[in-house]
Amino acid sequence: MVKVRPYYGEGSLSAAYYDLITAADSRLAGDIEIYAALIPAGGSVLELGAGSGRITGALAGEGFTLTGIDIAPAMLAQAEARRGALPPEVAGRITFRRGDMTALDLKQAFDVVICPFFTLAHVPAGAAWRNTFAVAAKHLSSGGLAAFHLPKLEIMKLPGPQNPDRPVMDQALPDGRRLRLFVRGRSFREGINRLDQVVEYALVDGAGRTLQSSAERLTFYLADPEPLAASAGLVLDRPPVDVGGMGDIWVFRKA
Ligand SMILES: C[S@@+](CC[C@H](N)C(=O)[O-])C[C@H]1O[C@@H](n2cnc3c(N)ncnc32)[C@H](O)[C@@H]1O
């Protein structure tokens, strides 16, 4: 029986190849600019689910000060490696910490809180969402903005690929190997809006032989964020902003 690992877990290929996959995903294009436009010049940002620092590094390069929180050590290791390769004055504007966005208290207020690329959808859309909105509100200055990128319901409901042996991504690596992604299972539960997927990552050589593979479970939850955000004193600031037809960035303001 194939062992299924958690997404972004220790030794996972989802963590090891996160940057390569997100760079190849044109549907994410423009998300960083949307966040940058929310932040006052030289402002401070708390990023919930900072991952490999894809957004953190880019925003620090624009002069903002970032604190990035993530629950996964494998992702934080990548984030620290990215930070180490940045010019010292940019790296100096970034702090990464391990933490759980559903129960965080840094005792510090920020101009903007961001929760990018479906991070909120990784936790159940009930108490965990309510707690995350409360965490965002607690870390915002009065009038500050909190942005949450959520998947679109209609995209979550799509069926998996007809042929599970056909890769949904097949990317050349600099060393001549290829990274292939297969969706091995995909099911959506109506009512609770829960999507379960098993994604297989496979490293193959030039002859197409599989050198390493890892099956990883990815679960997304979705609900209407407005009432849950309102319970934390966050009110919708503008209509949701579409990102690549795959998700929307919801921007709330602390009343
Ligand atoms: C899709 S990645 C987004 C990374 C980065 N923000 C970006 O946009 O590239 C989602 C991240 O959320 C993190 N995450 C999931 N649940 C979390 C939680 N409860 N607290 C903090 N981070 C969490 C995962 O470890 C992962 O690194």
Side-chain angles (χ1 to χ4, degrees), residues 108-113 136-142 144-146 234 254:
Q108 191 184 342
F110 298 81
D111 295 312
V112 171
V113 174
K138 183 163 58 182
H139 290 90
L140 271 180
S141 313
S142 177
L145 299 174
L234 297 174
K254 180 171 170 173

Side-chain angles (χ1 to χ4, degrees), residues 3-248:
K3 178 184 167 217
V4 180
R5 299 167 186 271
Y7 233 71
Y8 307 130
E10 286 304 288
S12 67
L13 293 181
S14 52
Y17 289 100
Y18 180 83
D19 283 336
L20 185 114
I21 290 165
T22 49
D25 194 341
S26 59
R27 295 169 304 178
L28 273 180
D31 65 342
I32 296 173
E33 289 75 7
I34 294 170
Y35 299 123
L38 303 176
I39 313 164
S44 60
V45 182
L46 171 63
E47 183 178 3
L48 302 175
S52 67
R54 173 182 75 93
I55 293 173
T56 331
L59 292 180
E62 295 194 30
F64 306 120
T65 302
L66 278 292
T67 297
I69 300 296
D70 205 281
I71 204 165
M75 295 298 271
L76 284 171
Q78 297 220 41
E80 286 295 358
R82 181 195 295 271
R83 196 174 78 90
L86 292 171
E89 72 277 12
V90 177
R93 288 196 285 272
I94 299 175
T95 307
F96 289 116
R97 288 179 59 162
R98 185 162 186 222
D100 181 349
M101 66 183 178
T102 68
L104 185 73
D105 188 2
L106 298 177
K107 306 200 185 316
Q108 191 184 342
F110 298 81
D111 295 312
V112 171
V113 174
I114 62 173
C115 188
F117 194 15
F118 305 170
T119 297
L120 186 63
H122 283 279
V123 298
W129 277 36
R130 199 174 286 112
N131 292 343
T132 305
F133 285 122
V135 162
K138 183 163 58 182
H139 290 90
L140 271 180
S141 313
S142 177
L145 299 174
F148 293 82
H149 185 187
L150 293 172
K152 288 183 193 287
L153 184 60
E154 61 268 28
I155 301 290
M156 286 174 64
K157 285 183 174 181
L158 291 176
Q162 276 195 326
N163 178 0
D165 293 326
R166 173 173 294 180
V168 291
M169 197 193 101
D170 185 357
Q171 182 81 21
L173 301 179
D175 60 9
R177 296 179 302 168
R178 302 192 74 83
L179 176 67
R180 291 187 177 147
L181 263 62
F182 303 88
V183 176
R184 295 300 186 197
R186 182 176 167 107
S187 65
F188 179 77
R189 281 194 239 168
E190 293 279 355
I192 56 168
N193 291 343
R194 171 178 168 153
L195 172 66
D196 284 285
Q197 290 192 93
V198 175
V199 181
E200 184 188 335
Y201 285 68
L203 287 168
V204 302
D205 66 13
R209 280 185 298 255
T210 301
L211 305 170
Q212 186 184 347
S213 76
S214 172
E216 307 190 3
R217 183 173 306 285
L218 180 60
T219 301
F220 286 140
Y221 305 86
L222 190 65
D224 177 359
E226 250 192 289
L228 295 168
S231 71
L234 297 174
V235 291
L236 195 63
D237 186 67
R238 64 197 73 187
V241 184
D242 174 86
V243 182
M246 189 173 59
D248 297 291

